[in-house]
Amino acid sequence: MKLSKSIENALSSAVRILPDDVEKAIKRADSIETGSLGKVVLDNILKNIEVSKETLLPLCQDTGMFWVLVSVGKKAKFNMSLLENEINQGCKAAAKNAYFRKSVVKDPLFDRTNTANNLPIVINYELVEGSDITIRILLKGFGSENCSSVRMLNPTASESDVVAAVVDIMKKAGGKPCPPVFLGVGIGGTMDKAAFLSKKALLREDSNPDKRYRELENKIRQAVNELHIGPGGLGGDNTCLSVAIESFATHIAGLPVAVTVNCHAERRATVIVLGGYDGNS
């Protein structure tokens, strides 16, 4: 199968069907929610998930912007131009054939004319071990994206300061990002690196391999839930379903902390190209 078609198929599924771990997290929240209005919101979210599966219509009218991470194995066959063309064509086809809303404008400030095809995409590359290429895509809605933020903490900041920064970001967000939310947190690097890490964190499906950061994830989730913003911003126990942290080395004079907020519809797609891509794969 042509790579662009594999990407189209993965995205067509992602916009309609949530990953198993995301749906399970929502069901778990629904089973423990004590807020009456929050319970109603979660019940309706679960109904919406089933309707989307049955009708093959998108889960949400904001089908998001394509945020792409391409992890290139150091031993992979790799033609960047051809690969990027396939990714663009796959995204374009999915937007057309899976009823994506046209949500991208060609200039952010002076000419907000709709591109009418959801291009261009936001694409990032990283080198990893191995010989394969992994393409991971977030469908990033902007009700939650608009609540994302970066805080440049002092180098003397503690764990509690990091928790407080994330809590403050969510306190300001309130019900705007369609809670319950998933939070990606990037710590370290430079301002832009931390922001990148916060998006990458949302793509991680397994637990954090570092016990210290795994415990910090739990502390942040508990602290955010203590805000009692609740599902739909109507109060309740479940404001945050999960927190994922990615970290990187940083300068001695700083401690960047970035938070990407994602709504309960955490839609992601993955395509793996074995051996890499040189136009003949």
Side-chain angles (χ1 to χ4, degrees), residues 61-68 88 91-92 95 100-109 111-123 138-142:
Q61 79 278 4
D62 185 354
T63 52
M65 192 170 186
F66 296 116
W67 189 89
V68 184
N88 274 284
C91 290
K92 183 178 179 180
F100 280 61
R101 187 181 71 184
K102 298 176 177 65
S103 299
V104 176
V105 294
K106 69 178 184 179
D107 184 90
L109 181 60
D111 185 6
R112 291 181 66 89
T113 301
N114 201 299
T115 64
N117 58 13
N118 278 8
L119 300 184
I121 64 177
V122 178
I123 190 164
L138 277 177
L139 301 179
K140 193 64 185 74
F142 263 59

Side-chain angles (χ1 to χ4, degrees), residues 1 3-14 16 90 94 269 271:
M1 182 183 295
L3 177 56
S4 60
K5 188 63 178 177
S6 295
I7 292 169
E8 177 191 349
N9 290 344
L11 289 169
S12 296
S13 176
R16 298 158 168 161
V271 173

Side-chain angles (χ1 to χ4, degrees), residues 160-204:
S160 60
D161 293 319
V162 172
V163 173
V166 180
V167 168
D168 186 57
I169 288 168
M170 274 306 301
K171 187 175 182 179
K172 287 181 169 62
K176 289 184 288 185
C178 298
V181 299
F182 292 85
L183 295 178
V185 181
I187 302 177
T190 52
M191 179 191 71
D192 55 308
K193 179 70 172 181
F196 164 77
L197 291 172
S198 72
K199 286 284 194 307
K200 182 180 178 181
L202 289 172
L203 294 167
R204 200 184 74 221

Side-chain angles (χ1 to χ4, degrees), residues 58-104:
L59 286 150
C60 176
Q61 79 278 4
D62 185 354
T63 52
M65 192 170 186
F66 296 116
W67 189 89
V68 184
L69 175 59
V70 182
S71 301
V72 182
K74 294 177 182 178
K75 298 179 181 179
K77 295 179 292 184
F78 182 46
N79 185 310
M80 184 175 184
S81 178
L82 293 177
L83 178 71
E84 192 160 313
N85 181 64
E86 288 292 303
I87 295 172
N88 274 284
Q89 291 307 310
C91 290
K92 183 178 179 180
K96 177 182 178 181
N97 298 325
Y99 307 110
F100 280 61
R101 187 181 71 184
K102 298 176 177 65
S103 299
V104 176

Side-chain angles (χ1 to χ4, degrees), residues 110-149:
F110 296 109
D111 185 6
R112 291 181 66 89
T113 301
N114 201 299
T115 64
N117 58 13
N118 278 8
L119 300 184
I121 64 177
V122 178
I123 190 164
N124 307 267
Y125 293 89
E126 66 174 3
L127 281 176
V128 296
E129 297 301 323
S131 58
D132 301 332
I133 295 176
T134 301
I135 303 163
R136 289 177 289 176
I137 305 174
L138 277 177
L139 301 179
K140 193 64 185 74
F142 263 59
S144 56
E145 183 70 4
N146 288 335
C147 297
S148 302
S149 188

Side-chain angles (χ1 to χ4, degrees), residues 250-268:
T250 195
H251 193 279
I252 58 173
L255 179 55
V257 176
V259 179
T260 290
V261 183
N262 210 16
C263 70
H264 61 268
E266 185 174 78
R267 300 155 295 180
R268 53 181 187 257

